[in-house]
PDB file of all heavy atoms in Angstrom:
ATOM      1  N   TRP A 416      -2.157  26.858 -16.247  1.00 92.00           N
ATOM      2  CA  TRP A 416      -3.257  27.165 -17.150  1.00 92.00           C
ATOM      3  C   TRP A 416      -3.461  28.662 -17.262  1.00 92.00           C
ATOM      4  O   TRP A 416      -3.636  29.208 -18.339  1.00 92.00           O
ATOM      5  CB  TRP A 416      -4.527  26.496 -16.663  1.00 92.00           C
ATOM      6  CG  TRP A 416      -5.674  26.743 -17.572  1.00 92.00           C
ATOM      7  CD1 TRP A 416      -5.948  26.150 -18.785  1.00 92.00           C
ATOM      8  CD2 TRP A 416      -6.738  27.644 -17.358  1.00 92.00           C
ATOM      9  NE1 TRP A 416      -7.063  26.631 -19.331  1.00 92.00           N
ATOM     10  CE2 TRP A 416      -7.600  27.553 -18.490  1.00 92.00           C
ATOM     11  CE3 TRP A 416      -7.059  28.588 -16.375  1.00 92.00           C
ATOM     12  CZ2 TRP A 416      -8.741  28.335 -18.610  1.00 92.00           C
ATOM     13  CZ3 TRP A 416      -8.207  29.363 -16.481  1.00 92.00           C
ATOM     14  CH2 TRP A 416      -9.024  29.227 -17.599  1.00 92.00           C
ATOM     15  N   LEU A 417      -3.383  29.336 -16.096  1.00 92.00           N
ATOM     16  CA  LEU A 417      -3.572  30.775 -16.101  1.00 92.00           C
ATOM     17  C   LEU A 417      -2.505  31.455 -16.918  1.00 92.00           C
ATOM     18  O   LEU A 417      -2.820  32.331 -17.745  1.00 92.00           O
ATOM     19  CB  LEU A 417      -3.537  31.304 -14.637  1.00 92.00           C
ATOM     20  CG  LEU A 417      -4.834  31.088 -13.838  1.00 92.00           C
ATOM     21  CD1 LEU A 417      -4.595  31.465 -12.356  1.00 92.00           C
ATOM     22  CD2 LEU A 417      -5.965  31.915 -14.432  1.00 92.00           C
ATOM     23  N   VAL A 418      -1.263  31.091 -16.703  1.00 92.00           N
ATOM     24  CA  VAL A 418      -0.169  31.688 -17.471  1.00 92.00           C
ATOM     25  C   VAL A 418      -0.345  31.423 -18.930  1.00 92.00           C
ATOM     26  O   VAL A 418      -0.190  32.314 -19.809  1.00 92.00           O
ATOM     27  CB  VAL A 418       1.194  31.151 -16.953  1.00 92.00           C
ATOM     28  CG1 VAL A 418       2.327  31.599 -17.896  1.00 92.00           C
ATOM     29  CG2 VAL A 418       1.452  31.615 -15.540  1.00 92.00           C
ATOM     30  N   TRP A 419      -0.665  30.181 -19.277  1.00 89.00           N
ATOM     31  CA  TRP A 419      -0.819  29.764 -20.686  1.00 89.00           C
ATOM     32  C   TRP A 419      -1.888  30.536 -21.400  1.00 89.00           C
ATOM     33  O   TRP A 419      -1.690  31.032 -22.466  1.00 89.00           O
ATOM     34  CB  TRP A 419      -1.096  28.268 -20.713  1.00 89.00           C
ATOM     35  CG  TRP A 419      -1.123  27.713 -22.107  1.00 89.00           C
ATOM     36  CD1 TRP A 419      -0.027  27.389 -22.904  1.00 89.00           C
ATOM     37  CD2 TRP A 419      -2.256  27.440 -22.917  1.00 89.00           C
ATOM     38  NE1 TRP A 419      -0.437  26.948 -24.095  1.00 89.00           N
ATOM     39  CE2 TRP A 419      -1.811  26.954 -24.138  1.00 89.00           C
ATOM     40  CE3 TRP A 419      -3.630  27.541 -22.678  1.00 89.00           C
ATOM     41  CZ2 TRP A 419      -2.672  26.589 -25.151  1.00 89.00           C
ATOM     42  CZ3 TRP A 419      -4.492  27.178 -23.711  1.00 89.00           C
ATOM     43  CH2 TRP A 419      -4.021  26.688 -24.909  1.00 89.00           C
ATOM     44  N   THR A 420      -3.004  30.667 -20.713  1.00 88.00           N
ATOM     45  CA  THR A 420      -4.134  31.384 -21.392  1.00 88.00           C
ATOM     46  C   THR A 420      -3.794  32.827 -21.564  1.00 88.00           C
ATOM     47  O   THR A 420      -4.146  33.445 -22.544  1.00 88.00           O
ATOM     48  CB  THR A 420      -5.430  31.253 -20.566  1.00 88.00           C
ATOM     49  OG1 THR A 420      -5.138  31.507 -19.174  1.00 88.00           O
ATOM     50  CG2 THR A 420      -6.041  29.901 -20.721  1.00 88.00           C
ATOM     51  N   ASN A 421      -3.077  33.419 -20.595  1.00 86.00           N
ATOM     52  CA  ASN A 421      -2.716  34.829 -20.716  1.00 86.00           C
ATOM     53  C   ASN A 421      -1.798  35.064 -21.908  1.00 86.00           C
ATOM     54  O   ASN A 421      -2.045  35.962 -22.707  1.00 86.00           O
ATOM     55  CB  ASN A 421      -1.985  35.299 -19.430  1.00 86.00           C
ATOM     56  CG  ASN A 421      -2.986  35.784 -18.387  1.00 86.00           C
ATOM     57  OD1 ASN A 421      -4.032  36.275 -18.790  1.00 86.00           O
ATOM     58  ND2 ASN A 421      -2.624  35.680 -17.143  1.00 86.00           N
ATOM     59  N   THR A 422      -0.755  34.275 -21.999  1.00 82.00           N
ATOM     60  CA  THR A 422       0.180  34.491 -23.138  1.00 82.00           C
ATOM     61  C   THR A 422      -0.454  34.076 -24.433  1.00 82.00           C
ATOM     62  O   THR A 422      -0.238  34.724 -25.452  1.00 82.00           O
ATOM     63  CB  THR A 422       1.479  33.647 -22.881  1.00 82.00           C
ATOM     64  OG1 THR A 422       1.079  32.304 -22.656  1.00 82.00           O
ATOM     65  CG2 THR A 422       2.284  34.182 -21.744  1.00 82.00           C
ATOM     66  N   ASN A 423      -1.270  33.040 -24.410  1.00 74.00           N
ATOM     67  CA  ASN A 423      -1.848  32.541 -25.653  1.00 74.00           C
ATOM     68  C   ASN A 423      -2.855  33.511 -26.251  1.00 74.00           C
ATOM     69  O   ASN A 423      -2.917  33.645 -27.476  1.00 74.00           O
ATOM     70  CB  ASN A 423      -2.556  31.211 -25.347  1.00 74.00           C
ATOM     71  CG  ASN A 423      -2.579  30.341 -26.563  1.00 74.00           C
ATOM     72  OD1 ASN A 423      -1.643  30.317 -27.349  1.00 74.00           O
ATOM     73  ND2 ASN A 423      -3.684  29.641 -26.749  1.00 74.00           N
ATOM     74  N   SER A 424      -3.601  34.202 -25.417  1.00 71.00           N
ATOM     75  CA  SER A 424      -4.582  35.128 -25.938  1.00 71.00           C
ATOM     76  C   SER A 424      -3.896  36.240 -26.727  1.00 71.00           C
ATOM     77  O   SER A 424      -4.394  36.697 -27.775  1.00 71.00           O
ATOM     78  CB  SER A 424      -5.390  35.723 -24.785  1.00 71.00           C
ATOM     79  OG  SER A 424      -4.544  36.507 -23.946  1.00 71.00           O
ATOM     80  N   GLU A 425      -2.706  36.650 -26.299  1.00 63.00           N
ATOM     81  CA  GLU A 425      -1.946  37.659 -27.062  1.00 63.00           C
ATOM     82  C   GLU A 425      -1.445  37.082 -28.366  1.00 63.00           C
ATOM     83  O   GLU A 425      -1.485  37.716 -29.416  1.00 63.00           O
ATOM     84  CB  GLU A 425      -0.768  38.139 -26.251  1.00 63.00           C
ATOM     85  CG  GLU A 425      -1.188  39.088 -25.131  1.00 63.00           C
ATOM     86  CD  GLU A 425      -0.155  39.249 -24.027  1.00 63.00           C
ATOM     87  OE1 GLU A 425       1.013  38.923 -24.297  1.00 63.00           O
ATOM     88  OE2 GLU A 425      -0.522  39.683 -22.953  1.00 63.00           O
ATOM     89  N   ASP A 426      -0.984  35.826 -28.304  1.00 60.00           N
ATOM     90  CA  ASP A 426      -0.462  35.167 -29.503  1.00 60.00           C
ATOM     91  C   ASP A 426      -1.562  35.042 -30.578  1.00 60.00           C
ATOM     92  O   ASP A 426      -1.313  35.273 -31.745  1.00 60.00           O
ATOM     93  CB  ASP A 426       0.100  33.779 -29.168  1.00 60.00           C
ATOM     94  CG  ASP A 426       1.361  33.897 -28.387  1.00 60.00           C
ATOM     95  OD1 ASP A 426       1.897  35.015 -28.317  1.00 60.00           O
ATOM     96  OD2 ASP A 426       1.809  32.874 -27.832  1.00 60.00           O
ATOM     97  N   THR A 427      -2.717  34.594 -30.127  1.00 58.00           N
ATOM     98  CA  THR A 427      -3.781  34.347 -31.133  1.00 58.00           C
ATOM     99  C   THR A 427      -4.193  35.615 -31.823  1.00 58.00           C
ATOM    100  O   THR A 427      -4.562  35.583 -33.004  1.00 58.00           O
ATOM    101  CB  THR A 427      -5.026  33.753 -30.437  1.00 58.00           C
ATOM    102  OG1 THR A 427      -5.312  34.486 -29.262  1.00 58.00           O
ATOM    103  CG2 THR A 427      -4.788  32.297 -30.099  1.00 58.00           C
ATOM    104  N   LEU A 428      -4.145  36.732 -31.163  1.00 56.00           N
ATOM    105  CA  LEU A 428      -4.460  38.010 -31.795  1.00 56.00           C
ATOM    106  C   LEU A 428      -3.590  38.264 -32.989  1.00 56.00           C
ATOM    107  O   LEU A 428      -4.034  38.518 -34.072  1.00 56.00           O
ATOM    108  CB  LEU A 428      -4.345  39.181 -30.831  1.00 56.00           C
ATOM    109  CG  LEU A 428      -5.572  39.445 -29.948  1.00 56.00           C
ATOM    110  CD1 LEU A 428      -5.267  40.557 -28.984  1.00 56.00           C
ATOM    111  CD2 LEU A 428      -6.765  39.747 -30.810  1.00 56.00           C
ATOM    112  N   THR A 429      -2.259  38.117 -32.807  1.00 53.00           N
ATOM    113  CA  THR A 429      -1.319  38.369 -33.916  1.00 53.00           C
ATOM    114  C   THR A 429      -1.382  37.247 -34.927  1.00 53.00           C
ATOM    115  O   THR A 429      -1.260  37.469 -36.126  1.00 53.00           O
ATOM    116  CB  THR A 429       0.098  38.519 -33.363  1.00 53.00           C
ATOM    117  OG1 THR A 429       0.344  37.365 -32.513  1.00 53.00           O
ATOM    118  CG2 THR A 429       0.239  39.806 -32.586  1.00 53.00           C
ATOM    119  N   ALA A 430      -1.562  36.032 -34.419  1.00 53.00           N
ATOM    120  CA  ALA A 430      -1.548  34.874 -35.335  1.00 53.00           C
ATOM    121  C   ALA A 430      -2.725  34.922 -36.259  1.00 53.00           C
ATOM    122  O   ALA A 430      -2.658  34.596 -37.411  1.00 53.00           O
ATOM    123  CB  ALA A 430      -1.551  33.581 -34.527  1.00 53.00           C
ATOM    124  N   GLN A 431      -3.859  35.382 -35.755  1.00 54.00           N
ATOM    125  CA  GLN A 431      -5.074  35.359 -36.557  1.00 54.00           C
ATOM    126  C   GLN A 431      -5.073  36.455 -37.615  1.00 54.00           C
ATOM    127  O   GLN A 431      -5.781  36.360 -38.584  1.00 54.00           O
ATOM    128  CB  GLN A 431      -6.290  35.483 -35.670  1.00 54.00           C
ATOM    129  CG  GLN A 431      -6.619  34.174 -34.922  1.00 54.00           C
ATOM    130  CD  GLN A 431      -7.995  34.197 -34.387  1.00 54.00           C
ATOM    131  OE1 GLN A 431      -8.603  35.280 -34.281  1.00 54.00           O
ATOM    132  NE2 GLN A 431      -8.518  33.058 -34.065  1.00 54.00           N
ATOM    133  N   ALA A 432      -4.313  37.445 -37.410  1.00 50.00           N
ATOM    134  CA  ALA A 432      -4.246  38.528 -38.401  1.00 50.00           C
ATOM    135  C   ALA A 432      -3.424  38.102 -39.591  1.00 50.00           C
ATOM    136  O   ALA A 432      -3.455  38.730 -40.629  1.00 50.00           O
ATOM    137  CB  ALA A 432      -3.637  39.775 -37.776  1.00 50.00           C
ATOM    138  N   LYS A 433      -2.666  37.008 -39.468  1.00 48.00           N
ATOM    139  CA  LYS A 433      -1.735  36.592 -40.536  1.00 48.00           C
ATOM    140  C   LYS A 433      -2.145  35.476 -41.393  1.00 48.00           C
ATOM    141  O   LYS A 433      -1.431  35.171 -42.390  1.00 48.00           O
ATOM    142  CB  LYS A 433      -0.397  36.221 -39.885  1.00 48.00           C
ATOM    143  CG  LYS A 433       0.380  37.460 -39.399  1.00 48.00           C
ATOM    144  CD  LYS A 433       1.648  36.982 -38.669  1.00 48.00           C
ATOM    145  CE  LYS A 433       2.336  38.162 -38.077  1.00 48.00           C
ATOM    146  NZ  LYS A 433       3.445  37.718 -37.224  1.00 48.00           N
ATOM    147  N   PRO A 434      -3.199  34.711 -41.142  1.00 50.00           N
ATOM    148  CA  PRO A 434      -3.386  33.441 -41.882  1.00 50.00           C
ATOM    149  C   PRO A 434      -3.422  33.662 -43.402  1.00 50.00           C
ATOM    150  O   PRO A 434      -3.996  34.632 -43.911  1.00 50.00           O
ATOM    151  CB  PRO A 434      -4.747  32.949 -41.399  1.00 50.00           C
ATOM    152  CG  PRO A 434      -5.422  34.141 -40.831  1.00 50.00           C
ATOM    153  CD  PRO A 434      -4.328  35.007 -40.304  1.00 50.00           C
ATOM    154  N   THR A 435      -2.770  32.799 -44.121  1.00 47.00           N
ATOM    155  CA  THR A 435      -2.655  32.949 -45.569  1.00 47.00           C
ATOM    156  C   THR A 435      -3.902  32.387 -46.226  1.00 47.00           C
ATOM    157  O   THR A 435      -4.682  31.642 -45.643  1.00 47.00           O
ATOM    158  CB  THR A 435      -1.430  32.182 -46.096  1.00 47.00           C
ATOM    159  OG1 THR A 435      -1.562  30.829 -45.664  1.00 47.00           O
ATOM    160  CG2 THR A 435      -0.133  32.747 -45.530  1.00 47.00           C
ATOM    161  N   ILE A 436      -4.030  32.742 -47.490  1.00 47.00           N
ATOM    162  CA  ILE A 436      -5.197  32.281 -48.250  1.00 47.00           C
ATOM    163  C   ILE A 436      -5.144  30.791 -48.426  1.00 47.00           C
ATOM    164  O   ILE A 436      -6.169  30.089 -48.452  1.00 47.00           O
ATOM    165  CB  ILE A 436      -5.255  33.047 -49.573  1.00 47.00           C
ATOM    166  CG1 ILE A 436      -6.677  32.953 -50.143  1.00 47.00           C
ATOM    167  CG2 ILE A 436      -4.268  32.514 -50.573  1.00 47.00           C
ATOM    168  CD1 ILE A 436      -7.502  34.183 -49.809  1.00 47.00           C
ATOM    169  N   GLU A 437      -3.942  30.238 -48.504  1.00 48.00           N
ATOM    170  CA  GLU A 437      -3.799  28.793 -48.718  1.00 48.00           C
ATOM    171  C   GLU A 437      -4.356  27.996 -47.528  1.00 48.00           C
ATOM    172  O   GLU A 437      -5.058  27.019 -47.654  1.00 48.00           O
ATOM    173  CB  GLU A 437      -2.343  28.409 -48.950  1.00 48.00           C
ATOM    174  CG  GLU A 437      -1.779  28.863 -50.257  1.00 48.00           C
ATOM    175  CD  GLU A 437      -1.188  30.237 -50.207  1.00 48.00           C
ATOM    176  OE1 GLU A 437      -1.243  30.873 -49.089  1.00 48.00           O
ATOM    177  OE2 GLU A 437      -0.739  30.682 -51.236  1.00 48.00           O
ATOM    178  N   SER A 438      -4.001  28.483 -46.382  1.00 48.00           N
ATOM    179  CA  SER A 438      -4.458  27.775 -45.188  1.00 48.00           C
ATOM    180  C   SER A 438      -5.972  27.752 -45.119  1.00 48.00           C
ATOM    181  O   SER A 438      -6.561  26.774 -44.691  1.00 48.00           O
ATOM    182  CB  SER A 438      -3.847  28.423 -43.927  1.00 48.00           C
ATOM    183  OG  SER A 438      -4.400  29.669 -43.746  1.00 48.00           O
ATOM    184  N   ILE A 439      -6.547  28.825 -45.480  1.00 47.00           N
ATOM    185  CA  ILE A 439      -8.002  28.901 -45.474  1.00 47.00           C
ATOM    186  C   ILE A 439      -8.626  27.968 -46.505  1.00 47.00           C
ATOM    187  O   ILE A 439      -9.643  27.327 -46.271  1.00 47.00           O
ATOM    188  CB  ILE A 439      -8.504  30.343 -45.671  1.00 47.00           C
ATOM    189  CG1 ILE A 439      -7.925  31.230 -44.588  1.00 47.00           C
ATOM    190  CG2 ILE A 439      -9.996  30.427 -45.682  1.00 47.00           C
ATOM    191  CD1 ILE A 439      -7.837  32.663 -44.989  1.00 47.00           C
ATOM    192  N   ALA A 440      -7.975  27.876 -47.654  1.00 46.00           N
ATOM    193  CA  ALA A 440      -8.515  27.032 -48.723  1.00 46.00           C
ATOM    194  C   ALA A 440      -8.573  25.580 -48.248  1.00 46.00           C
ATOM    195  O   ALA A 440      -9.498  24.853 -48.532  1.00 46.00           O
ATOM    196  CB  ALA A 440      -7.613  27.173 -49.931  1.00 46.00           C
ATOM    197  N   LYS A 441      -7.562  25.174 -47.555  1.00 50.00           N
ATOM    198  CA  LYS A 441      -7.512  23.803 -47.061  1.00 50.00           C
ATOM    199  C   LYS A 441      -8.478  23.503 -45.960  1.00 50.00           C
ATOM    200  O   LYS A 441      -8.889  22.384 -45.706  1.00 50.00           O
ATOM    201  CB  LYS A 441      -6.103  23.463 -46.631  1.00 50.00           C
ATOM    202  CG  LYS A 441      -5.251  22.867 -47.710  1.00 50.00           C
ATOM    203  CD  LYS A 441      -4.683  21.543 -47.252  1.00 50.00           C
ATOM    204  CE  LYS A 441      -4.111  20.741 -48.423  1.00 50.00           C
ATOM    205  NZ  LYS A 441      -3.436  19.545 -47.939  1.00 50.00           N
ATOM    206  N   GLN A 442      -8.840  24.534 -45.275  1.00 52.00           N
ATOM    207  CA  GLN A 442      -9.614  24.352 -44.053  1.00 52.00           C
ATOM    208  C   GLN A 442     -11.092  24.154 -44.393  1.00 52.00           C
ATOM    209  O   GLN A 442     -11.870  25.101 -44.459  1.00 52.00           O
ATOM    210  CB  GLN A 442      -9.452  25.580 -43.194  1.00 52.00           C
ATOM    211  CG  GLN A 442      -9.922  25.378 -41.789  1.00 52.00           C
ATOM    212  CD  GLN A 442      -9.641  26.609 -40.972  1.00 52.00           C
ATOM    213  OE1 GLN A 442      -8.676  27.294 -41.246  1.00 52.00           O
ATOM    214  NE2 GLN A 442     -10.482  26.865 -40.020  1.00 52.00           N
ATOM    215  N   LYS A 443     -11.431  22.908 -44.699  1.00 46.00           N
ATOM    216  CA  LYS A 443     -12.802  22.609 -45.139  1.00 46.00           C
ATOM    217  C   LYS A 443     -13.723  22.333 -44.002  1.00 46.00           C
ATOM    218  O   LYS A 443     -14.960  22.344 -44.114  1.00 46.00           O
ATOM    219  CB  LYS A 443     -12.769  21.442 -46.093  1.00 46.00           C
ATOM    220  CG  LYS A 443     -12.160  21.823 -47.456  1.00 46.00           C
ATOM    221  CD  LYS A 443     -12.074  20.618 -48.344  1.00 46.00           C
ATOM    222  CE  LYS A 443     -11.388  20.979 -49.648  1.00 46.00           C
ATOM    223  NZ  LYS A 443     -11.200  19.795 -50.485  1.00 46.00           N
ATOM    224  N   SER A 444     -13.175  22.009 -42.867  1.00 47.00           N
ATOM    225  CA  SER A 444     -14.051  21.722 -41.703  1.00 47.00           C
ATOM    226  C   SER A 444     -14.734  23.041 -41.320  1.00 47.00           C
ATOM    227  O   SER A 444     -14.114  24.073 -41.200  1.00 47.00           O
ATOM    228  CB  SER A 444     -13.185  21.242 -40.533  1.00 47.00           C
ATOM    229  OG  SER A 444     -12.351  22.274 -40.130  1.00 47.00           O
ATOM    230  N   ALA A 445     -16.031  22.906 -41.159  1.00 45.00           N
ATOM    231  CA  ALA A 445     -16.824  24.139 -40.934  1.00 45.00           C
ATOM    232  C   ALA A 445     -16.730  24.612 -39.482  1.00 45.00           C
ATOM    233  O   ALA A 445     -17.349  24.059 -38.600  1.00 45.00           O
ATOM    234  CB  ALA A 445     -18.281  23.890 -41.256  1.00 45.00           C
ATOM    235  N   GLN A 446     -15.858  25.572 -39.276  1.00 52.00           N
ATOM    236  CA  GLN A 446     -15.721  26.173 -37.944  1.00 52.00           C
ATOM    237  C   GLN A 446     -16.311  27.553 -37.994  1.00 52.00           C
ATOM    238  O   GLN A 446     -16.131  28.323 -38.948  1.00 52.00           O
ATOM    239  CB  GLN A 446     -14.246  26.253 -37.544  1.00 52.00           C
ATOM    240  CG  GLN A 446     -13.518  24.935 -37.593  1.00 52.00           C
ATOM    241  CD  GLN A 446     -13.758  24.107 -36.358  1.00 52.00           C
ATOM    242  OE1 GLN A 446     -14.469  24.528 -35.466  1.00 52.00           O
ATOM    243  NE2 GLN A 446     -13.245  22.933 -36.324  1.00 52.00           N
ATOM    244  N   LEU A 447     -17.023  27.888 -36.959  1.00 46.00           N
ATOM    245  CA  LEU A 447     -17.707  29.194 -36.910  1.00 46.00           C
ATOM    246  C   LEU A 447     -16.771  30.362 -37.049  1.00 46.00           C
ATOM    247  O   LEU A 447     -17.040  31.326 -37.756  1.00 46.00           O
ATOM    248  CB  LEU A 447     -18.505  29.273 -35.623  1.00 46.00           C
ATOM    249  CG  LEU A 447     -19.703  28.347 -35.491  1.00 46.00           C
ATOM    250  CD1 LEU A 447     -20.382  28.544 -34.194  1.00 46.00           C
ATOM    251  CD2 LEU A 447     -20.676  28.591 -36.609  1.00 46.00           C
ATOM    252  N   ALA A 448     -15.641  30.273 -36.348  1.00 46.00           N
ATOM    253  CA  ALA A 448     -14.742  31.422 -36.319  1.00 46.00           C
ATOM    254  C   ALA A 448     -14.166  31.698 -37.706  1.00 46.00           C
ATOM    255  O   ALA A 448     -13.779  32.852 -37.993  1.00 46.00           O
ATOM    256  CB  ALA A 448     -13.621  31.141 -35.344  1.00 46.00           C
ATOM    257  N   LYS A 449     -14.062  30.665 -38.520  1.00 48.00           N
ATOM    258  CA  LYS A 449     -13.442  30.818 -39.839  1.00 48.00           C
ATOM    259  C   LYS A 449     -14.464  31.078 -40.972  1.00 48.00           C
ATOM    260  O   LYS A 449     -14.074  31.145 -42.125  1.00 48.00           O
ATOM    261  CB  LYS A 449     -12.594  29.570 -40.150  1.00 48.00           C
ATOM    262  CG  LYS A 449     -11.356  29.470 -39.308  1.00 48.00           C
ATOM    263  CD  LYS A 449     -10.350  30.501 -39.642  1.00 48.00           C
ATOM    264  CE  LYS A 449      -9.182  30.493 -38.710  1.00 48.00           C
ATOM    265  NZ  LYS A 449      -8.279  31.609 -38.887  1.00 48.00           N
ATOM    266  N   SER A 450     -15.684  31.183 -40.626  1.00 50.00           N
ATOM    267  CA  SER A 450     -16.708  31.309 -41.648  1.00 50.00           C
ATOM    268  C   SER A 450     -16.452  32.566 -42.532  1.00 50.00           C
ATOM    269  O   SER A 450     -16.629  32.538 -43.747  1.00 50.00           O
ATOM    270  CB  SER A 450     -18.078  31.372 -41.029  1.00 50.00           C
ATOM    271  OG  SER A 450     -18.150  32.460 -40.150  1.00 50.00           O
ATOM    272  N   ASN A 451     -16.039  33.613 -41.900  1.00 51.00           N
ATOM    273  CA  ASN A 451     -15.741  34.841 -42.617  1.00 51.00           C
ATOM    274  C   ASN A 451     -14.684  34.628 -43.667  1.00 51.00           C
ATOM    275  O   ASN A 451     -14.791  35.056 -44.834  1.00 51.00           O
ATOM    276  CB  ASN A 451     -15.279  35.933 -41.647  1.00 51.00           C
ATOM    277  CG  ASN A 451     -16.456  36.648 -40.997  1.00 51.00           C
ATOM    278  OD1 ASN A 451     -17.546  36.607 -41.600  1.00 51.00           O
ATOM    279  ND2 ASN A 451     -16.268  37.181 -39.834  1.00 51.00           N
ATOM    280  N   ALA A 452     -13.616  33.948 -43.265  1.00 48.00           N
ATOM    281  CA  ALA A 452     -12.509  33.673 -44.157  1.00 48.00           C
ATOM    282  C   ALA A 452     -12.992  32.829 -45.390  1.00 48.00           C
ATOM    283  O   ALA A 452     -12.580  33.071 -46.496  1.00 48.00           O
ATOM    284  CB  ALA A 452     -11.394  32.929 -43.454  1.00 48.00           C
ATOM    285  N   VAL A 453     -13.824  31.893 -45.144  1.00 46.00           N
ATOM    286  CA  VAL A 453     -14.356  31.049 -46.182  1.00 46.00           C
ATOM    287  C   VAL A 453     -15.147  31.878 -47.205  1.00 46.00           C
ATOM    288  O   VAL A 453     -14.994  31.681 -48.418  1.00 46.00           O
ATOM    289  CB  VAL A 453     -15.285  29.939 -45.580  1.00 46.00           C
ATOM    290  CG1 VAL A 453     -15.964  29.153 -46.706  1.00 46.00           C
ATOM    291  CG2 VAL A 453     -14.451  28.998 -44.733  1.00 46.00           C
ATOM    292  N   GLU A 454     -15.891  32.797 -46.706  1.00 50.00           N
ATOM    293  CA  GLU A 454     -16.622  33.697 -47.601  1.00 50.00           C
ATOM    294  C   GLU A 454     -15.688  34.478 -48.505  1.00 50.00           C
ATOM    295  O   GLU A 454     -15.864  34.630 -49.689  1.00 50.00           O
ATOM    296  CB  GLU A 454     -17.491  34.636 -46.782  1.00 50.00           C
ATOM    297  CG  GLU A 454     -18.742  33.925 -46.217  1.00 50.00           C
ATOM    298  CD  GLU A 454     -19.148  34.583 -44.950  1.00 50.00           C
ATOM    299  OE1 GLU A 454     -18.872  35.780 -44.726  1.00 50.00           O
ATOM    300  OE2 GLU A 454     -19.760  33.879 -44.100  1.00 50.00           O
TER     301      GLU A 454
END
Side-chain angles (χ1 to χ4, degrees):
Chain A
W416 181 77
L417 282 172
V418 171
W419 185 79
T420 47
N421 270 332
T422 52
N423 206 37
S424 64
E425 285 162 19
D426 288 348
T427 46
L428 275 178
T429 50
Q431 282 196 344
K433 285 176 186 171
T435 57
I436 199 95
E437 288 89 359
S438 68
I439 300 156
K441 268 234 165 174
Q442 195 177 329
K443 288 177 184 176
S444 65
Q446 304 279 359
L447 290 179
K449 290 291 173 187
S450 61
N451 277 335
V453 173
E454 285 150 26

